[in-house]
Amino acid sequence: MEVNDIMQILEKDMKVAVFATVDEDGKPHARHAHIGVANEQGVFFMTSPTTDFYKQLKHNPNIAITTMSEEGYLVQVIRIEGKVRQVGKDRLQELLANNPYVEQVYPDDDIRQGMQVFHLYEGEGFYHSMSQGHKYVFSIGHEEETDA
């Protein structure tokens, strides 16, 4: 399985992941967030500068993302640990358009336009089809991909 195949599963089939960060005191935090775009370049997502999530990302760029889907007998898990960087408003309109929850979470258009985009640009990932036994380790920002 290619990295782009795994990233398409993440974006199109799973859509929402748990993002884990740490605060300035080293305490862990986790929250669900929408996967805006996922491809061979990494994962793009957004948050408001008024959130603790934003503050934690700015303080420490190391994050972990995990998600799972279950459809009939097919159970898939994707985990990625890596580094993020803020890319400002780059890709914001694309992320807003692809997010079915944005109007409920951020009902005010001014707030939506103030969102900031982050890019998980470097990291290591793991894909596991729990029902089929397939396991793949992959890199973002690197060239190699291997079977686990």
Side-chain angles (χ1 to χ4, degrees):
M1 183 175 279
E2 301 291 324
V3 173
N4 205 42
D5 297 329
I6 295 169
M7 299 305 260
Q8 286 302 296
I9 292 168
L10 180 63
E11 178 183 338
K12 304 292 184 202
D13 297 340
M14 295 178 171
K15 301 176 185 166
V16 173
V18 175
F19 287 71
T21 58
V22 294
D23 65 20
E24 291 181 7
D25 296 325
K27 293 180 182 175
H29 297 271
R31 84 275 299 141
H32 287 87
H34 186 261
I35 301 292
V37 173
N39 57 36
E40 65 280 348
Q41 297 172 358
V43 177
F44 295 86
F45 60 95
M46 64 184 178
T47 189
S48 169
T50 63
T51 64
D52 288 337
F53 185 26
Y54 177 89
K55 293 170 191 157
Q56 292 157 12
L57 293 169
K58 295 298 285 183
H59 172 71
N60 184 338
N62 295 294
I63 68 167
I65 298 173
T66 188
T67 190
M68 181 179 118
S69 70
E70 181 177 7
E71 188 174 321
Y73 75 94
L74 183 61
V75 179
Q76 302 176 95
V77 173
I78 297 174
R79 291 190 334 248
I80 303 172
E81 297 173 351
K83 292 187 177 195
V84 299
R85 60 181 165 215
Q86 185 176 352
V87 294
K89 305 250 186 234
D90 291 352
R91 301 191 96 141
L92 178 60
Q93 295 311 312
E94 180 181 12
L95 270 62
L96 288 170
N98 289 338
N99 188 330
Y101 315 108
V102 73
E103 290 185 16
Q104 287 76 35
V105 177
Y106 301 107
D108 186 292
D109 189 54
D110 288 339
I111 294 172
R112 287 194 298 269
Q113 295 309 316
M115 301 294 283
Q116 295 295 306
V117 177
F118 284 84
H119 176 206
L120 188 153
Y121 65 94
E122 178 181 286
E124 302 297 321
F126 176 72
Y127 168 88
H128 186 190
S129 173
M130 297 175 76
S131 52
Q132 296 175 319
H134 303 301
K135 296 180 182 180
Y136 300 97
V137 174
F138 62 94
S139 294
I140 296 171
H142 309 290
E143 298 298 318
E144 288 292 316
E145 167 192 324
T146 61
D147 290 338

